[in-house]
Amino acid sequence: MAVTRTGEPVGADPRRWWGLVVIALAQLMVVLDATIVNIALPSAQRDLGMSDANRQWVITAYTLAFGGLLLLGGRIADLVGRKRTFIIGLIGFAAASALGGAATGSGMLFGARALQGAFAAVLAPSALSLLTTTFTDPKERGKAFGIYGALAGSGSAIGFIVGGLLTEYLNWRWCLYVNIPIAAVAVFGAFALLHDRPGHAGARLDVPGVLLGCGGLVAIVYGFSEAQPRGWTDPLVLTLFALGLVLLVAFVWWQNRAPMPLLPLHIVKDRNRAGCFLTMGLATIGMFGLFLFMTYYLQVVLAFSPVKTGLAFLPLTAAIIIGSTQISARLMNHVPPRTLMVPGMVLAAGGMLLLTRMTVDSSYATEILPALILMGLGMGLTFMPVFATATAGVAPQDSGVTSATVNTSQQVGGSIGTALLNTIATSSGATYITAHLHNPAQRAQVVKEGVVHGYTIAIWCAVGIMLLAGLVAGLMVTAKAPKHGARAEAPVPEPVA
């Protein structure tokens, strides 16, 4: 590879690292917004008069729109142009955030959150595909994806910290308003620093594919979100799951016949890419469940304030960044991706295993902190090679939809994990309380013990899911180290018709 006197690759944009800052800033905003309102939710509920049954939509409206529309957002990025789509997504996200911050009722807030999710679905895949086309040199690619993976993995934890600070010292509305200055900086940076090829003007959008694919994902995610309050055997939940499966089967059937498919199936037929998608989805099932449990455990059981709760997640965030930028990024060019992904999932499962021992009297410093550090290092080891391997070698016209599929697996996995593990925790806790509540005078203590018992049962399930993710990575991701394989910019050959 030819380089300049300063060691820069020939033809490389000298401002590309500042461009990475812009891309990473946008991705951080998208990811942290999935959790930043969690700690603020009680304040928003009181302010807007939300019922306990409806308050979940502040979270679910965002994740449903985000996860369900990501494939559409990825294809729009390919058709319209990634830079243009990136800027449109930033402006729309900021406008939706302003609308949510000014909400005068629960319906207005739910709608604004859904709009945020829709624009995030446009923004996220264009950000990742811009990163993919900006950094093609294997060595630089490793560093860039290390930074990006760290933000993607730690953004949710950062959301808890920022949400706690804003809620305690300002107002819950600032958890939404904070996106406006971030988006403004990113828009100006995008105009000045990012470059892109024009979109494919002659191409058409696969409308039936949009309706079938997005509809199927929304139905399944909605079904998991409703399983917690209604129960797994509720007719609505079962109907949603059945509808989602039927729509996704029809989606796959149509993609084999569509002249311009929303998701070209050769992308997911690639063994390494499919392994990365599955690993990401399984990993985030456990991770998002952990965020939910630890937030309530720290605030309700250990009586931490919102700020203290947010800061308690800081070691997890730091460990993810270290694992991604200082370990994965340095080793990615020298070892096969699964050599990082498998130990990463085992390490994360080990951290969760420690949390199964927590009680109502656990010490944060000696029992919770070590588990969070192990969990963070494991996720950091995993996220970076997943993003880099899943998007490597993709044909330019498919980079947006491939990036969208990575993000879809992350968002859908997080939505499923929150609903699935929360349902397990709630039912297990209720069973424990029923079996142990013999003296009404001890009700408060038994209820608290039941809640923690439910968390530990759900965390045991998360341990199994993390180990399954490691098994999937070990068996399916067989790619070699980048320095021993094809160059990053080599396109995936189109299948012969």
Side-chain angles (χ1 to χ4, degrees), residues 405-464:
T405 309
V406 181
N407 282 281
T408 296
S409 63
Q410 184 180 27
Q411 288 301 315
V412 172
S415 300
I416 290 173
T418 300
L420 171 65
L421 297 179
N422 192 45
T423 299
I424 293 171
T426 303
S427 58
S428 300
T431 301
Y432 180 95
I433 293 169
T434 301
H436 291 80
L437 186 57
H438 306 300
N439 184 355
Q442 298 178 339
R443 178 177 179 81
Q445 180 66 18
V446 172
V447 168
K448 188 178 288 188
E449 291 173 354
V451 168
V452 176
H453 173 77
Y455 292 167
T456 58
I457 296 298
I459 290 172
W460 271 111
C461 296
V463 170

Side-chain angles (χ1 to χ4, degrees), residues 44-126:
Q45 182 180 0
R46 289 192 300 269
D47 196 11
L48 301 180
M50 283 182 249
S51 68
D52 288 346
N54 288 334
R55 65 186 179 186
Q56 64 159 327
W57 285 105
V58 176
I59 308 299
T60 308
Y62 182 84
T63 56
L64 272 176
F66 195 178
L69 296 174
L70 266 166
L71 286 175
L72 173 62
R75 187 47 84 192
I76 290 175
D78 287 332
L79 300 181
V80 177
R82 298 166 194 89
K83 178 178 177 179
R84 184 181 303 173
T85 307
F86 182 78
I87 292 171
I88 291 171
L90 284 169
I91 295 173
F93 197 92
S97 300
L99 182 66
T104 56
S106 58
M108 185 175 174
L109 180 58
F110 298 158
R113 288 288 287 168
L115 274 177
Q116 278 187 307
F119 281 108
V122 172
L123 179 59
S126 59

Side-chain angles (χ1 to χ4, degrees), residues 36 115 118 149 170 180 195 254 292 305 339 343 349 433-434 440-441 452 476:
I36 192 172
L115 274 177
L170 291 174
I180 299 173
H195 304 284
W254 172 250
L292 179 70
S305 68
T339 308
I433 293 169
T434 301
V452 176
M476 294 187 66

Side-chain angles (χ1 to χ4, degrees), residues 16-33:
R16 63 195 179 283
W17 292 104
W18 285 108
L20 172 62
V21 172
V22 173
I23 295 170
L25 192 64
Q27 177 65 14
L28 176 63
M29 181 179 69
V30 167
V31 176
L32 69 82
D33 233 71

Side-chain angles (χ1 to χ4, degrees), residues 182-226:
I182 296 175
V185 172
V187 166
F188 284 115
F191 275 116
L193 300 169
L194 299 181
H195 304 284
D196 187 32
R197 303 182 184 91
H200 302 280
R204 292 181 300 170
L205 196 63
D206 176 19
V207 176
V210 170
L211 297 176
L212 292 171
C214 296
L217 285 173
V218 168
I220 288 177
V221 174
Y222 185 25
F224 275 106
S225 70
E226 287 296 305

Side-chain angles (χ1 to χ4, degrees), residues 342-476:
V342 174
M345 285 293 89
V346 172
L347 202 59
M352 283 209 158
L353 194 61
L354 293 179
L355 290 177
T356 62
R357 303 175 59 187
M358 68 183 184
T359 67
V360 294
D361 301 314
S362 290
S363 165
Y364 173 80
T366 59
E367 297 174 68
I368 307 302
L369 179 59
L372 293 180
I373 292 174
L374 285 177
M375 178 81 176
L377 287 173
M379 299 306 286
L381 281 173
T382 303
F383 276 132
M384 183 266 176
V386 164
F387 278 118
T389 305
T391 56
V394 178
Q397 67 270 21
D398 290 330
S399 64
V401 72
T402 303
S403 304
T405 309
V406 181
N407 282 281
T408 296
S409 63
Q410 184 180 27
Q411 288 301 315
V412 172
S415 300
I416 290 173
T418 300
L420 171 65
L421 297 179
N422 192 45
T423 299
I424 293 171
T426 303
S427 58
S428 300
T431 301
Y432 180 95
I433 293 169
T434 301
H436 291 80
L437 186 57
H438 306 300
N439 184 355
Q442 298 178 339
R443 178 177 179 81
Q445 180 66 18
V446 172
V447 168
K448 188 178 288 188
E449 291 173 354
V451 168
V452 176
H453 173 77
Y455 292 167
T456 58
I457 296 298
I459 290 172
W460 271 111
C461 296
V463 170
I465 293 171
M466 289 287 189
L467 292 176
L468 179 60
L471 182 63
V472 167
L475 294 178
M476 294 187 66

